[in-house]
Amino acid sequence: MLLSTMIEQLCWGMVTSIEIFVLTLLFSLPLGLLVSWGRRSKYSAISWLMRAYISIMRGTPLMLQLIVVFFGPYYIFGAHLSPEYRMIAVIIAFTINYAAYFAEIYRGGIESIPKGQYEAAKVLGYSKFETFFIIILPQVIKVVLPSITNEVITLVKDTSLSFVLAVPEMFTIAKQIAAAEASINALLVAGVFYYVFNAIVAFAMSKLENHLNYYD
């Protein structure tokens, strides 16, 4: 196979990888914040439920979660799923997995903010909602951004796990080409694609960190 043809096929797979990456972040970042609130809830039932959710998501392999999300509706409810559900299952599994990690990152950031800031905001007449989104959250984002960056970089590589559900992302296509050609060239090219993708993400996150570093 010509190198140009191989790269063209891998680029199509890369589009799917980017789609998984973007949609996972789009859903898991706000979901993680909600889970973090639940984790810190004064209601023990909600707090316990969020603790259990986080423990399960972080304590089991993402590959297993992909399989459960995809096959679960059929074996539990007998639902007949369309082929398009493969991609939906990938997004659901990635979202609930990464939301658990983001929730703990958010929790650490929120708990690092001195309680005096909450008291000062109350004295100034801010509601709890305004206090969190105007005063606390901007500081939390700055504190947790390095940890979030690590998870985002990991997500770039984890998109390859969608091969478990036969979603034609870049790694799946690279394996198919390598098997057909009896050569690892496609896998090496895919490795370069992942490295460049990660480098771009790391650069963008670094710029964002520098922008938020108001001490400099």
Side-chain angles (χ1 to χ4, degrees):
M1 178 182 293
L2 294 175
L3 180 61
S4 59
T5 304
M6 178 191 303
I7 292 177
E8 182 180 355
Q9 292 185 19
L10 290 175
C11 283
W12 281 109
M14 190 64 172
V15 170
T16 303
S17 296
I18 293 174
E19 184 180 357
I20 296 170
F21 173 81
V22 172
L23 291 176
T24 298
L25 288 182
L26 182 65
F27 295 127
S28 64
L29 285 170
L31 178 59
L33 188 58
L34 290 175
V35 173
S36 177
W37 281 341
R39 170 74 170 74
R40 301 177 66 250
S41 174
K42 62 182 179 180
Y43 300 105
S44 58
I46 296 176
S47 178
W48 180 88
L49 184 62
M50 292 302 101
R51 286 171 184 263
Y53 162 72
I54 292 171
S55 178
I56 293 171
M57 290 299 104
R58 297 200 305 171
T60 57
L62 176 55
M63 186 179 296
L64 175 61
Q65 294 165 21
L66 284 162
I67 294 172
V68 170
V69 170
F70 181 69
F71 291 104
Y74 174 77
Y75 286 108
I76 297 175
F77 305 108
H80 294 283
L81 306 172
S82 65
E84 290 77 14
Y85 181 67
R86 291 183 184 276
M87 185 62 174
I88 296 173
V90 167
I91 301 303
I92 292 174
F94 271 79
T95 297
I96 62 177
N97 178 274
Y98 272 84
Y101 288 92
F102 288 141
E104 287 298 272
I105 292 174
Y106 286 135
R107 185 176 67 87
I110 293 171
E111 293 180 354
S112 71
I113 305 300
K115 293 184 178 179
Q117 296 201 25
Y118 292 91
E119 297 169 355
K122 185 176 181 180
V123 170
L124 292 173
Y126 285 96
S127 66
K128 290 183 178 180
F129 182 86
E130 292 172 330
T131 298
F132 183 80
F133 283 98
I134 297 176
I135 299 175
I136 304 301
L137 186 58
Q139 298 179 75
V140 169
I141 291 175
K142 180 181 181 299
V143 170
V144 306
L145 196 56
S147 298
I148 287 179
T149 298
N150 288 335
E151 291 300 322
V152 171
I153 290 174
T154 300
L155 173 59
V156 173
K157 295 176 286 186
D158 277 354
T159 57
S160 63
L161 290 176
S162 59
F163 81 90
V164 174
L165 301 185
V167 172
E169 47 71 55
M170 187 173 60
F171 185 66
T172 300
I173 294 176
K175 287 201 308 175
Q176 291 172 350
I177 296 174
E181 298 288 321
S183 170
I184 66 168
N185 290 337
L187 295 174
L188 294 177
V189 174
V192 173
F193 270 66
Y194 279 116
Y195 179 79
V196 172
F197 189 8
N198 251 329
I200 293 172
V201 170
F203 177 78
M205 297 299 286
S206 176
K207 284 294 184 181
L208 182 58
E209 286 185 41
N210 291 336
H211 177 71
L212 294 177
N213 191 3
Y214 43 76
Y215 290 114
D216 290 343

